[in-house]
Amino acid sequence: MPTSLHDLTYPAIERALVADGLRPAHARTLWNAVQREGALALAERTEFLPPLTRWSAEHVGESARFFFDEPALTADTASSDGLTRKFLLRLADGQTVETVLMGYTGRSTACVSTQAGCAMGCVFCATGQMGFVRHLRAGEIVAQVLHVQRELRARRAAGLRNLVLMGMGEPLHNYDAVLTALEILTDDRGVALAPSRVTISTVGVVPGILRLAEEKRAFNLAVSLHSADAAERAALVPASRRWPLDELIAACREYGAKTGRRIFFEWTLIAGANDSPRHAEQVAALLAGMHAHVNLIPLNPTNGFAGTASAGAAAREFQRVLRERGLPSTVRQRRGIDVAAGCGQLRAEKARAA
Ligand code: SAH
Ligand code: SF4
């Protein structure tokens, strides 16, 4: 089976080259080309010494031992304010995933997908509505970030600063590939993202949260809560029947205790469903004593769900109740709604148009 070069951590590339009789220094050169410069071909690289050039010619390429994950750009939409771009990328087997680039300042953020589709079935989510197709490999996650880096470079913009795993898919349902991708992307010899600038967003996969706590990972954790009432949450987030709300909150408390880290709670505001002062009081009570921050995100309407976004006044009132109870929160407009920037919406749109 051929292996993607993008799937390999630095130590794995070094092991592969040393096993083939090359020196560790060649691994440094190869890694630099692939992960720092984002090269997608290794011919004519003047910095390669002859043994590495020969090795690349023999072992990298079509039907060779190693290949590049080189997703093809099939759609590229920009928001009207020009600050958000959404890419639909086609993987080698034809599956498409969404990658978003927000901002072109020194603070740009990439939002990447971790699966094609999603098995969790959240009723308001375009990705959940399409169902699960497959996990992405680490290299397919890394390649999305390298694509964003190339876009930034083409604009002579500063490098990427933040990474959020809030595209298509449930990151903690694909734990190993996601964590390998993050090991690659935070390696300071490559893209070199700071772990504190990486956010893993989960629907609440309890074993994954406990594993992150056990391994004391330095990434940020965001938990998509949406409701503090078990029955109401189960109606929006079917996965909460498998990992009930009380178990989820217990896992979050354990995560907080073991890592000392704050947890972000995502709350998609749906008019009349989870945006009343009573809902705000419930969440404040549920998260009492926890080092937590709530992100309130007005619903981005999708074809498969009848709900609508809460009015601005409801969001402000919700926030006021949280503030009174000592729970910090931010209302986040989903940037670039006009580029179908809700997760899974661009792919769904293209599928309808096809
Ligand atoms: N599976 C993970 C990460 C991907 S979804 C998770 O659920 O956390 C990223 C975020 O987008 C989640 O908080 C999710 O609830 C939210 N989201 C999905 N569809 C949305 C929509 N139509 N409008 C607003 N937020 C949405
Ligand atoms: Fe999956 Fe997240 Fe969408 Fe839920 S919101 S269906 S977990 S991608």
Side-chain angles (χ1 to χ4, degrees):
M1 267 293 272
T3 303
S4 162
L5 282 175
H6 290 128
D7 268 331
L8 301 178
T9 60
Y10 188 97
I13 285 202
E14 192 175 71
R15 274 195 304 277
L17 291 190
V18 169
D20 285 351
L22 276 76
R23 285 182 291 113
H26 292 304
R28 184 70 186 244
T29 313
L30 177 59
W31 173 272
N32 197 63
V34 175
Q35 293 292 351
R36 195 177 276 279
E37 295 186 24
L40 289 168
L42 298 177
E44 293 165 33
R45 293 208 62 100
T46 49
E47 80 278 22
F48 280 23
L49 293 172
L52 185 56
T53 304
R54 281 196 298 275
W55 183 89
S56 305
E58 187 178 347
H59 295 299
V60 183
E62 248 176 81
S63 56
R65 266 166 71 205
F66 297 98
F67 66 97
F68 287 97
D69 270 304
E70 190 179 352
L73 185 62
T74 61
D76 177 351
T77 48
S79 60
S80 46
D81 62 8
L83 290 176
T84 301
R85 270 171 79 193
K86 183 154 196 167
F87 310 108
L88 190 65
L89 300 174
R90 193 176 61 241
L91 308 175
D93 66 348
Q95 284 302 321
T96 52
V97 293
E98 297 178 2
T99 304
V100 183
L101 166 56
M102 287 165 279
Y104 288 96
T105 63
R107 296 184 291 123
S108 350
T109 298
C111 172
V112 303
S113 297
T114 57
Q115 298 176 318
C118 182
M120 302 297 147
C122 304
V123 295
F124 51 81
C125 169
T127 308
Q129 290 158 14
M130 75 182 71
F132 179 71
V133 183
R134 70 169 173 86
H135 294 300
L136 300 194
R137 284 180 292 97
E140 291 172 322
I141 300 168
V142 169
Q144 295 173 64
V145 175
L146 295 178
H147 175 81
V148 165
Q149 287 279 58
R150 277 190 289 274
E151 292 289 336
L152 287 169
R153 230 175 265 142
R155 291 207 170 199
R156 298 179 194 284
L160 189 66
R161 186 145 84 152
N162 307 294
L163 175 66
V164 296
L165 306 188
M166 294 188 185
M168 301 166 68
E170 168 48 48
L172 299 185
H173 181 211
N174 188 16
Y175 193 97
D176 291 330
V178 163
L179 272 288
T180 299
L182 294 183
E183 182 183 338
I184 292 169
L185 293 167
T186 54
D187 190 310
D188 57 15
R189 296 161 288 200
V191 175
L193 288 167
S196 61
R197 301 209 163 272
V198 174
T199 301
I200 300 175
S201 178
T202 179
V203 71
V205 177
V206 166
I209 294 171
L210 294 176
R211 199 167 154 195
L212 287 173
E214 198 59 44
E215 296 171 0
K216 294 209 167 37
R217 301 286 185 164
F219 308 116
N220 296 301
L221 179 65
V223 173
S224 298
L225 196 57
H226 311 308
S227 174
D229 174 277
E232 285 181 14
R233 186 167 192 266
L236 293 172
V237 180
S240 70
R241 292 185 203 125
R242 175 133 173 230
W243 299 291
L245 186 60
D246 51 348
E247 283 178 32
L248 171 60
I249 297 304
C252 289
R253 289 191 186 276
E254 183 164 340
Y255 177 93
K258 281 209 167 124
T259 65
R261 304 189 70 83
R262 167 181 55 172
I263 301 180
F264 296 89
F265 288 91
E266 310 283 303
W267 193 283
T268 296
L269 286 166
I270 307 167
N274 66 353
D275 66 344
S276 72
R278 169 182 70 88
H279 290 99
E281 276 161 23
Q282 270 180 334
V283 65
L286 187 70
L287 303 182
M290 210 187 283
H291 192 16
H293 187 102
V294 178
N295 287 323
L296 300 165
I297 307 143
L299 175 78
N300 207 354
T302 55
N303 270 15
F305 179 63
T308 55
S310 303
R316 282 190 295 278
E317 176 60 11
F318 200 98
Q319 209 176 10
R320 191 191 58 76
V321 174
L322 296 186
R323 192 166 42 241
E324 255 175 21
R325 285 160 181 68
L327 186 55
S329 66
T330 312
V331 178
R332 293 187 190 281
Q333 284 300 332
R334 277 232 171 253
R335 298 269 303 274
I337 287 229
D338 54 343
V339 289
C343 115
Q345 284 179 249
L346 183 58
R347 175 174 155 146
E349 213 167 75
K350 294 285 157 189
R352 272 195 303 279

